[in-house]
Structure formats: C-alpha cells, structure tokens
Amino acid sequence: MGIVNTTPDSFSDGGRYLNERDACRHCEVLLRDGADLLDIGAESTRPGAPAVPVEEELRRLLPVVRFAVTLGVPVSVDTWKPLVMQAALDAGADVVNDVQALRADGAMDVVAAHPSCGVCLMHMQGDPQTMQREPAYHDVVAEVTGFLEQRFRAVVSAGVAEERVVLDPGIGFGKSVAHNFALLQSQSRLMQLNRPILAGWSRKSSIGAITGRSVEQRLAGSLAAALAALARGASIVRVHDVAETVDAIKIWRAAGLLGN
Ligand code: HH2
C-alpha cells in the first residue's frame, strides 16, 4: 500500500504533495514503483496534529481520489470522518482506512451502506492530540487484539461482510517503542483473528528510536520492519518507499522467506 499524503504537515512528507498536481503525479510514481493499492490521506494523524475541517479535507482529497480511481488499482482513503468517507466512496474509492476503527458517529453506517467497499479497522489509544503522552497498557498485545476483535464484531453486526475487513494494530498510535515492538513480536496473536493484517511501520519514530536515525534516514529500518511484519503474516504493508519495499520483498521471496 503506497502512501499519498496530500497534507501540509504529515510527519515525514508534509507539504510535498499538498498541491493536487504533485499528489496525482505521486500516485502515478507509486504505481510505477509497484504499489498494489494507494492510500490517500488529507489529514495528518501524527502526534499533536490538529483536526482538519471537513471542507478542507474534501478540498485536498477529492481531486486526488478522482484521479487515482482512473489508474486501475484499488484506492483507499485515510479518514475517520463519515462525510469524507461518503464523498470519497461516491467518487469511486474502494476502501475506507479508518485510524478510529469506525468509532465516529455515522461512520459505520456509511461503510455498511456501501456493500462493496473494503475497510481497515485500526487500533489507537486516545486521539492524535494526546496519544503519545505516556501510553499505558496492562498487556498491549491482549488489549489491541481484544479491541480489534470487538470492532470487527461490531462492523459485522452492522452488516459488513467479514471478507471486507482488514485489521491493523496501529503502530505508533498511543504506543511506546516497547509496545510497538511487542505487537510485532507477537503479531501471530493478531493473526488468530483470522483477518488480513495491515502493518504501518514506515518511517515511524519507533524506527528512529531503535536506529538513532532522523525521519529522512529511516528507509533501511522501515524496510526491515516491513519484512518482519510480512514474515510474521501481515498481508499489507503501508509504506512511503514503494520501490525499495517491493525490491526487498522480491529478495525475501526469492530466498524462500516469504510466501506469494
Ligand atoms: N499510519 C499513519 C496514517 N494512517 N493508517 C493505518 N491503517 N495504519 C497506520 O499505521 C497509519 C495509517 C501515519 O503515517 P503517515 O500517513 O505517513 O503520516 P501522517 O499521519 O502524519 O500523515
């Protein structure tokens, strides 16, 4: 999954694709580089990020979604706002990627009313404003797994077919470095939920904490984390550096370390 952030303030590429033309061009580059799907977001979820008004999010997002859906790959929209989900699905988007796991009022109804769209349910403790202020768990793996199971049951009860749902532990969303790596080490417990797992490690601060690298220097660490997540059973890795990730996956496949 190639990331397209049409924002001024995303943590690693804010401002690079805010302009519609730059964002559309980036969609093409990621596809050429080997992305199987595109995730387009118009509101940063980095720690401390301010919420973006719906009108502004739509203004940034919709032209890029309208372009991306002409490219012949599934298009996901990274939003937690029901009005934005609705408009993006109407514009042809295929997947709702919600860092709030459809907890906003009305979000579940939008997804349930679109019988063919996919949905990614992600775990987050708190909200982007506060989530990195001393995140705490008794047992992070059990709590994240329990949350995802509960949200999965809720969307299925709302009428969403099981096979439309992907689950994501939410790396960096209300979690310390130790919490994030505990989730990677025990990813097999998430796999027991029997849904595809999406993992988003790309350039995140936990990579920087382990390697001592600034955000621009986290490619090698991000590749290693993506491969580890895939080797532990993840189906989708959400990445900024698609070409490099695809190369790394090809080598691990050739080495017999990953299935197809
Ligand atoms: N991470 C980010 C945003 N959306 N969605 C899912 N499902 N999983 C993630 O791990 C995830 C996500 C944060 O990364 P990025 O989009 O690069 O940054 P920002 O939120 O600052 O735009």
Side-chain angles (χ1 to χ4, degrees):
M1 171 185 267
I3 302 170
V4 181
N5 283 324
T6 179
T7 64
D9 58 346
S10 286
F11 78 94
S12 77
D13 54 3
R16 287 190 62 188
Y17 313 110
L18 181 56
N19 175 299
E20 176 187 334
R21 210 185 41 203
D22 295 336
C24 292
R25 167 98 187 102
H26 193 51
C27 292
E28 292 178 322
V29 168
L30 294 181
L31 284 193
R32 189 200 61 204
D33 287 348
D36 292 323
L37 68 159
L38 297 174
D39 187 42
I40 306 173
E43 177 183 76
S44 172
T45 52
R46 75 184 192 288
V52 174
V54 169
E55 305 70 40
E56 175 62 12
E57 192 173 336
L58 289 172
R59 196 187 63 73
R60 295 177 190 170
L61 189 74
L62 285 184
V64 187
V65 170
R66 287 196 192 103
F67 174 76
V69 298
T70 67
L71 297 175
V73 285
V75 172
S76 155
V77 285
D78 187 352
T79 188
W80 55 271
K81 299 187 190 99
L83 284 172
V84 178
M85 292 174 189
Q86 177 74 55
L89 291 168
D90 290 346
D94 304 282
V95 179
V96 169
N97 170 25
D98 185 356
V99 298
Q100 293 199 12
L102 302 182
R103 284 179 291 165
D105 278 350
M108 191 88 87
D109 300 334
V110 172
V111 170
H114 282 80
S116 63
C117 81
V119 54
C120 176
L121 303 174
M122 196 197 80
H123 175 272
M124 168 164 48
Q125 186 181 78
D127 57 53
Q129 287 295 329
T130 58
M131 64 187 180
Q132 290 310 109
R133 289 187 204 151
E134 299 184 25
Y137 299 83
H138 177 62
D139 175 341
V140 66
V141 179
E143 286 169 53
V144 169
T145 308
F147 170 88
L148 291 175
E149 181 170 25
Q150 179 257 319
R151 293 310 297 157
F152 176 53
R153 291 220 173 113
V155 295
V156 170
S157 302
V160 175
E162 292 190 9
E163 56 271 21
R164 291 168 55 192
V165 182
V166 169
L167 304 175
D168 181 344
I171 300 306
F173 285 85
K175 293 164 189 97
S176 67
V177 178
H179 294 142
N180 290 322
F181 281 96
L183 286 162
L184 181 53
Q185 288 183 19
S186 300
Q187 199 177 266
S188 58
R189 280 169 62 195
L190 293 175
M191 305 292 302
Q192 288 166 3
L193 296 172
N194 283 325
R195 293 308 313 144
I197 299 297
L198 185 155
W201 284 87
S202 190
R203 301 180 185 171
K204 287 195 176 157
S205 62
S206 284
I207 305 286
I210 297 290
T211 59
R213 302 286 184 187
S214 67
V215 75
E216 308 77 40
Q217 299 174 317
R218 294 180 188 159
L219 175 59
S222 300
L223 293 175
L227 289 173
L230 290 168
R232 290 239 156 90
S235 300
I236 303 170
V237 282
R238 182 180 181 278
V239 302
H240 302 90
D241 302 290
V242 168
E244 294 84 349
T245 307
V246 169
D247 284 357
I249 291 170
K250 283 180 181 165
I251 297 299
W252 269 42
R253 278 204 183 122
L257 289 163
L258 289 179
N260 288 315

